[in-house]
Amino acid sequence: MIFGLNTTRAAIVIAETKGARNSFVITAIRPIPFQVRSGHDLADLLQTLITLFGRKGKGASSVIALLQCSSGRFSSCLEAIKGEAMIELAASQRGLRVVKIAPQSLKKTLGCAKDQKWQDRAGELFNPDGKRPNWSKSAAGAVAVAFKVADE
């Protein structure tokens, strides 16, 4: 199983997937809402992730594909960065491998047209009829990173 994860200010979006690129299947997309008002909030998020990875991440081939938070001029918010840290900690505690994917690498992976955004291309490939539950731009990121590591 490949868990594709994307962090935002208010949620971690998890895409549970399986199969190689030619047989890639999304089994579930679930947002895990969170807030970072205190250390207790982070501890709760960590426990939620550890539990999820423990239930679903059994097997030597399970991997976490993580869309990296951005830095620089258009950097990610602090909450998203803290969410990313909790993902890495939970994965470490469950013995799961984490593969960090830079957002700029997804255009090539998804076969985007010259001026096409990778989020739009992910929607075309993985939610063509627009009816997939919990689909969003954040879900597009989670699914895209899982797809990228599907053949690694």
Side-chain angles (χ1 to χ4, degrees), residues 2 4-5 8 12 15 22-24 27-28 39 44 46 49 51 68 72 83 85 97 110-111 116 134 137 142-143 148:
I2 301 170
L5 285 90
T8 68
I12 294 174
N22 59 353
S23 61
F24 185 78
T27 57
D44 290 345
L46 178 61
L49 292 168
T51 301
Q68 280 183 309
R97 183 172 64 103
L110 299 173
Q116 187 178 31
N134 296 320
K137 287 195 180 226
V143 171
K148 182 170 176 79

Side-chain angles (χ1 to χ4, degrees), residues 105-112 118-119 121-122 125-126 140 144 147:
S105 72
L106 296 175
K107 282 188 79 140
K108 182 178 180 184
T109 299
L110 299 173
C112 293
W118 64 262
Q119 296 93 332
R121 179 67 176 147
L125 292 171
F126 306 115
F147 182 74

Side-chain angles (χ1 to χ4, degrees), residues 5-137:
L5 285 90
N6 187 8
T7 60
T8 68
R9 175 183 309 269
I12 294 174
V13 178
I14 301 175
E16 297 174 18
T17 69
K18 60 184 178 180
R21 282 193 185 178
N22 59 353
S23 61
F24 185 78
V25 176
I26 302 165
T27 57
I29 296 174
R30 73 180 71 210
I32 299 176
F34 72 96
Q35 295 179 339
V36 184
R37 294 180 306 227
S38 70
H40 294 292
D41 293 335
L42 291 173
D44 290 345
L45 176 60
L46 178 61
Q47 191 56 52
T48 299
L49 292 168
I50 288 170
T51 301
L52 177 73
F53 295 158
R55 269 196 325 248
K56 303 275 185 164
K58 295 184 170 129
S61 63
S62 291
V63 64
I64 306 285
L66 178 60
L67 184 62
Q68 280 183 309
C69 287
S70 301
S71 61
R73 184 174 172 204
F74 300 105
S75 65
S76 299
C77 66
L78 184 58
E79 293 86 353
I81 293 168
K82 287 180 179 182
E84 184 176 306
M86 293 297 101
I87 291 166
E88 291 190 62
L89 185 56
S92 171
Q93 290 188 9
R94 287 294 182 189
L96 297 173
R97 183 172 64 103
V98 176
V99 178
K100 293 182 183 181
I101 307 295
Q104 58 270 29
S105 72
L106 296 175
K107 282 188 79 140
K108 182 178 180 184
T109 299
L110 299 173
C112 293
K114 184 178 179 186
D115 293 328
Q116 187 178 31
K117 292 186 175 189
W118 64 262
Q119 296 93 332
D120 297 334
R121 179 67 176 147
E124 289 175 4
L125 292 171
F126 306 115
N127 190 28
D129 59 3
K131 295 180 181 178
R132 183 173 294 281
N134 296 320
W135 189 262
S136 64
K137 287 195 180 226

